[in-house]
């Protein structure tokens, strides 16, 4: 998606809004008072230009893929911007439209460097470590191992295995801890284990992999097993279909998992976030279309910290919103 800095104000807002669908107690709790911090749109530190992917760092800080500024921005617990790393370029350690990111158990940060068709690994201080992948065929249908056509999502399991959604090739690829290609799976289609432009990825506490299967309007889950012939991705369930009702999706772009393995899905065209149990039962629906607190315009990414606070990249409003945990 193209982003144009329109001189808008970027807001980091902490709000407590949500619609109870089932479970989690009643909606009548006492939410914390809303707080806000504003940032101007632009290239300066403390400003964003149509941010996309989000992640939580090892120390609890929020990491933001500031896509059209070609960098990763770091924000503290009070939504104060405290640093950034990365700059535009094609050399190792530089970025061209970073789309999403993941943090492993040691604090290393993996960034999907979309227009360079690779994933870049940085240490917790933003120092470049390595690249993996590279550009394959420009229009998808490229079967080359380790090559991408506009990668989108990234996730890292407890063993350090790296998973990347190869968006235009309608497949997922798995790499070892040192970036060596391990395996791939998926083709274009609607059957179990097939994809239509897979986007965001997440790993739960049992190393199960969740995939936002964007074009199929669903979430798929896989278990990675190792046998005599190497690794294999086994289909482990799915939920969702195209629609506007609670539990349905219109363009699920991203997925994340909290410490209780609840699953949060970005429902892009429905302008909302939906929360599910690990088994796919709907718990909460957050947001509706608009520009006020707790409303969204084409949200793209979601992350949840250890305290249950929910961060959303509200792309169409050019801001990040922070939602207090549902009570």
């Amino acid at each position: 998606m193209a982003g144009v800095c329109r001189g808008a104000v970027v807001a980091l807002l902490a709000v407590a809004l949500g619609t109870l669908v089932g479970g989690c107690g009643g909606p009548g709790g006492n939410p914390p008072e809303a707080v806000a911090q504003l940032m101007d749109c632009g290239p300066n530190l403390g400003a964003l230009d149509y941010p996309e992917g989000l992640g939580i760092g090892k120390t609890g800080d929020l990491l933001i893929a500031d896509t059209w500024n070609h960098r990763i921005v770091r924000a503290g617990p009070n939504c104060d911007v405290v640093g950034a790393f990365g700059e535009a370029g094609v050399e190792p350690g530089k970025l061209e439209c970073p789309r999403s990111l993941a943090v492993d158990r040691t604090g290393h940060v993996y960034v999907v460097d979309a227009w360079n068709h690779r994933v870049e690994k940085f240490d917790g201080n933003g120092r470049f470590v390595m690249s993996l992948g590279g550009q394959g065929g420009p229009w998808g249908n490229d079967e080359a191992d380790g090559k991408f056509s506009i990668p989108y999502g990234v996730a890292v399991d407890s063993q350090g295995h790296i998973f990347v959604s190869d968006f235009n090739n309608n497949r997922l690829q798995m790499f070892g801890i040192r970036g060596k290609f391990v395996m791939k799976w998926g083709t274009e289609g609607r059957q179990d284990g097939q994809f239509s432009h897979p986007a965001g990825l997440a790993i739960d506490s049992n190393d199960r992999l969740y995939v936002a299967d964007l074009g199929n309007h669903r979430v798929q889950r896989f278990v990675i097993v190792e046998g005599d012939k190497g690794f294999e991705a086994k289909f482990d369930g799915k939920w969702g279909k195209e629609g506007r009702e609670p539990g349905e999706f219109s363009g699920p772009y991203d997925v994340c998992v909290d410490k209780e393995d609840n699953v949060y899905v970005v429902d892009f065209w429905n302008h909302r976030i939906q929360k599910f149990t690990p088994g796919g039962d709907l718990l909460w629906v957050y947001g509706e279309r608009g520009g006020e607190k707790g409303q969204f315009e084409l949200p793209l990414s979601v992350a949840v910290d250890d305290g249950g606070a929910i961060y959303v990249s509200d792309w169409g409003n050019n801001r990040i919103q922070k939602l207090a945990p549902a009570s």
Side-chain angles (χ1 to χ4, degrees), residues 163-196:
F163 300 89
V164 184
S165 58
D166 192 2
F167 189 80
N168 278 352
N169 285 322
N170 294 299
R171 65 183 182 181
L172 268 68
Q173 299 200 56
M174 174 181 172
F175 298 81
I177 192 170
R178 294 180 176 83
K180 183 179 179 181
F181 172 83
V182 174
M183 70 165 181
K184 61 191 177 188
W185 75 96
T187 56
E188 185 174 6
R190 301 183 61 84
Q191 301 301 313
D192 297 346
Q194 293 185 312
F195 305 105
S196 177

Side-chain angles (χ1 to χ4, degrees), residues 57-80:
K58 186 175 176 60
T59 60
D61 50 340
L62 176 67
L63 299 171
I64 305 166
D66 189 6
T67 302
W68 293 97
N69 282 324
H70 311 287
R71 65 184 180 184
I72 305 301
V73 170
R74 190 187 308 273
N78 296 318
C79 297
D80 51 324

